[in-house]
């Protein structure tokens, strides 16, 4: 098969397929290597968007990077045209990884101090995506305690350091401070995704609330925004899985690269899940399925004639339990939303619902539901781990790592 010249996948080079890399380039002689890096990232199937600092444009032209990345290059924070096309917050959200290569001493200092005085530093602060930096500078600058202090600070904030390498430098000196070779940087980025973890695996995730109608205009529901489930679906996709997301009504953008099935009620969610779940290896139930529905839904809007009224409710199907009770169930992960006795209730659900794992979260005013943050107590038969408060995206990646580990262990038995 002949592929277009800008797509050259080989069997061993698929690790960044569909991944979105925001490549930041700062001012330094090594900026010329960013051109090669961009090409190699695309060779591996990544989509690359480039952001350059003004100093970087002195070393290599945005036009070169535009041609190589196939996307417009972003240079200004306050550029109305660029903002209209893809604003800086949108760019920050778009990225699966932010990679700064080369990262100059000056940029590292600004990042270490949390400055947001140009587009790239602002993006680094605004993104939820993991940040990787590949320093490049003169060896004395690298060894200077000020630079080392800034690096330690960034590492303490979980920034991944790529290099630097040691060797001959553009200034004629020899020592540490050389930018890693493009291939080494690509390998490190691919490793950060751990894409091989779930390659060839199918993961189904449910998310959001369900609505149980009382009449055509009123329903019973809950405060789930869908954020946690959507983040879990994305984390599974990042780990290399084929993902189906069965979603209740939410105000979130459907994540691309994930098959989304939209449902409204618990019964519809059950139908959608049971129709396909036998094709899946892992089932993660993050949806806040309404526990009750009306015995009868009125055909017309109910008139408020009486001072009070009673609704007769019946239980909705327990979708999670139905899945875990299948004759050949997938690895089944539930969530537990609790306002009290978190651990005891979660362990009970783990057992009663015959789950492989359960992620318990405290819900109530401003936590768990409808918040960008969450914390999870994760339990499985014989073990547990606490995942401390973090943005749901980060938490979802951590939860995914636990799921993968337990899933593989179970497979080996
Ligand atoms: O959507 P967000 O705003 O981001 O909030 C995230 C969340 C709090 C909704 C999420 O983290 C969470 O806890 N989801 C599960 C909520 C819930 O319904 O918990 P539960 O303890 O009532 O149910 C236990 C498990 O059974 C859950 O996995 C649930 O999906 C499942 N269930 C419940 C009832 C039912 N009829 N069918 C089910 O499958």
């Amino acid at each position: 098969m002949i592929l277009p010249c800008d797509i050259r996948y080989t069997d061993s080079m698929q690790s960044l397929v569909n991944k979105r890399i925001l490549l930041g380039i700062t001012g330094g002689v090594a900026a010329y290597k960013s051109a090669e890096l961009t090409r190699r990232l695309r060779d591996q199937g990544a989509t690359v968007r480039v952001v350059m600092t003004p100093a970087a444009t002195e070393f290599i032209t945005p036009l070169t990077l535009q041609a190589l990345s196939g996307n417009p290059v972003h240079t200004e924070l306050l550029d109305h045209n660029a903002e209209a096309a893809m604003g800086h917050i949108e760019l920050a959200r778009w990225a699966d990884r932010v990679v700064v290569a080369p990262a100059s001493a000056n940029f590292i200092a600004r990042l270490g101090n949390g400055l947001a005085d140009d587009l790239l530093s602002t993006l680094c602060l605004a993104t939820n995506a993991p940040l990787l930096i590949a320093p490049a500078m003169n060896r004395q600058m690298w060894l200077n305690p000020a630079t080392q202090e800034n690096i330690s600070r960034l590492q303490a904030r979980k920034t991944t350091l790529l290099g630097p390498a040691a060797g001959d430098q553009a200034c004629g000196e020899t020592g540490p401070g050389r930018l890693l070779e493009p291939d080494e940087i690509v390998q490190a980025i691919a490793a950060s995704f751990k894409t091989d973890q779930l390659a060839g695996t199918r993961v189904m995730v449910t998310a959001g609330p369900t609505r149980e109608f009382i009449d055509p205009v009123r329903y019973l529901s809950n405060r789930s925004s869908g954020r946690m489930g959507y983040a879990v679906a994305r984390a599974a996709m990042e780990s290399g899985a084929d993902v189906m997301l069965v979603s209740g009504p939410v105000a979130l953008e459907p994540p691309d690269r994930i098959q989304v099935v939209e449902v409204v009620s618990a019964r519809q969610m059950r139908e959608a899940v049971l129709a396909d779940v036998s094709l899946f290896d892992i089932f993660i139930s993050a949806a806040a399925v309404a526990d009750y529905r009306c015995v009868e839904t009125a055909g017309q809007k109910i008139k408020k004639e009486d001072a009070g009224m009673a609704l007769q409710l019946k239980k909705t199907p327990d979708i999670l339990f139905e899945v875990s009770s299948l004759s050949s169930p997938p690895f089944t992960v539930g969530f537990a939303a609790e306002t009290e006795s978190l651990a005891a209730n979660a362990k009970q659900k783990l057992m009663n619902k015959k789950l492989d794992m359960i992620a318990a979260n405290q819900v109530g005013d401003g936590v768990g539901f409808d918040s960008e943050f969450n914390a999870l107590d994760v339990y499985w038969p014989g073990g547990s781990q606490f995942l401390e408060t973090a943005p749901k995206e980060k938490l979802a990646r951590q939860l995914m790592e636990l799921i993968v580990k337990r899933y593989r262990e179970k497979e080996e038995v």
Side-chain angles (χ1 to χ4, degrees):
M1 179 170 61
I2 300 173
L3 292 167
C5 65
D6 61 341
I7 306 173
R8 288 179 294 268
Y9 305 145
T10 67
D11 283 349
S12 58
M13 295 176 66
Q14 300 251 351
S15 52
L16 290 175
V17 171
N18 271 341
K19 300 294 180 276
R20 295 162 168 180
I21 310 298
L22 198 153
L23 176 61
I25 307 177
T26 71
V29 184
Y32 77 92
K33 286 191 186 173
S34 309
E36 185 61 14
L37 175 58
T38 305
R39 207 178 64 81
R40 299 283 168 95
L41 286 168
R42 291 197 70 199
D43 282 351
Q44 292 247 16
T47 305
V48 184
R49 285 186 175 269
V50 176
V51 174
M52 300 174 76
T53 63
T57 63
E58 303 285 334
F59 290 89
I60 184 167
T61 69
L63 201 58
T64 304
L65 274 312
Q66 178 169 315
L68 290 170
S69 67
N71 280 311
V73 170
H74 306 254
T75 53
E76 304 288 338
L77 181 56
L78 304 174
D79 176 340
H80 296 295
N81 290 333
E83 284 287 302
M86 191 181 234
H88 66 279
I89 295 295
E90 235 175 315
L91 257 181
R93 285 194 188 132
W94 172 87
D96 293 325
R97 294 287 181 276
V98 176
V99 181
V100 184
S104 66
N106 177 49
F107 185 76
I108 288 169
R110 287 193 284 131
L111 205 57
N113 285 289
L115 296 189
D117 53 359
D118 65 9
L119 178 59
L120 185 56
S121 52
T122 304
L123 282 170
C124 289
L125 280 193
T127 190
N128 252 331
L131 178 61
L132 296 84
I133 59 167
M137 67 195 73
N138 161 273
R139 75 180 181 94
Q140 290 294 359
M141 292 170 79
W142 171 253
L143 294 172
N144 190 294
T147 304
Q148 289 305 309
E149 217 175 288
N150 291 326
I151 288 289
S152 302
R153 255 193 210 181
L154 290 174
Q155 283 182 304
R157 290 182 214 148
K158 303 272 188 282
T159 299
T160 301
L161 189 65
L162 310 180
D168 292 341
Q169 301 203 305
C171 54
E173 295 186 19
T174 303
R178 274 171 63 97
L179 184 67
L180 289 185
E181 291 307 316
D183 272 343
E184 293 173 303
I185 297 176
V186 169
Q187 273 174 28
I189 297 169
S192 79
F193 282 102
K194 301 193 178 114
T195 44
D196 52 343
Q197 282 194 326
L198 285 179
T201 308
R202 303 202 66 193
V203 177
M204 182 187 277
V205 181
T206 65
T210 64
R211 288 179 184 168
E212 312 305 325
F213 278 83
I214 298 168
D215 67 18
V217 296
R218 305 181 179 99
Y219 53 78
L220 300 169
S221 192
N222 58 63
R223 294 172 59 183
S224 169
S225 64
R227 283 199 188 107
M228 191 69 236
Y230 275 53
V232 168
R234 266 193 300 269
M237 185 269 294
E238 269 188 15
S239 302
D242 283 333
V243 182
M244 180 191 273
L245 175 63
V246 181
S247 174
V250 297
L252 302 172
E253 284 292 312
D256 52 12
R257 300 172 285 171
I258 289 176
Q259 186 190 351
V260 181
V261 178
E262 291 179 0
V263 297
V264 177
S265 67
R267 280 179 293 176
Q268 287 172 359
M269 185 170 276
R270 173 184 180 271
E271 239 170 73
V273 167
L274 293 184
D276 283 323
V277 76
S278 60
L279 304 171
F280 286 78
D281 306 289
I282 300 176
F283 176 68
I284 307 172
S285 183
V289 186
D291 291 311
Y292 290 91
R293 68 177 175 88
C294 292
V295 170
E296 269 179 42
T297 302
Q300 302 300 328
K301 186 180 167 200
I302 298 171
K303 302 285 176 215
K304 45 180 183 296
E305 281 158 1
D306 299 325
M309 69 177 283
L311 289 175
Q312 205 187 346
L313 304 178
K314 70 186 271 188
K315 270 198 157 175
T316 55
D318 189 331
I319 304 167
L320 182 59
F321 185 65
E322 285 195 54
V323 171
S324 70
S325 303
L326 290 171
S327 55
S328 179
F331 185 89
T332 308
V333 182
F335 270 70
E338 307 292 343
T339 54
E340 57 181 351
S341 311
L342 188 69
N345 287 336
K347 285 180 193 164
Q348 195 73 51
K349 283 179 185 167
L350 177 74
M351 214 169 61
N352 291 350
K353 297 198 183 213
K354 300 192 287 185
L355 305 178
D356 293 298
M357 186 178 270
I358 194 156
N361 42 199
Q362 192 81 32
V363 292
D365 274 346
V367 286
F369 277 123
D370 202 13
S371 154
E372 298 204 350
F373 293 82
N374 202 3
L376 294 173
D377 268 326
V378 187
Y379 299 94
W380 57 90
S384 68
Q385 184 155 336
F386 175 60
L387 302 178
E388 66 186 25
T389 303
K392 284 177 176 170
E393 283 75 16
K394 185 173 174 190
L395 213 53
R397 288 187 200 108
Q398 293 172 335
L399 176 63
M400 216 54 205
E401 297 225 340
L402 289 178
I403 292 174
V404 170
K405 194 158 175 278
R406 291 289 307 152
Y407 170 64
R408 295 286 175 223
E409 280 170 9
K410 195 177 174 192
E411 258 192 339
E412 279 166 20
V413 174

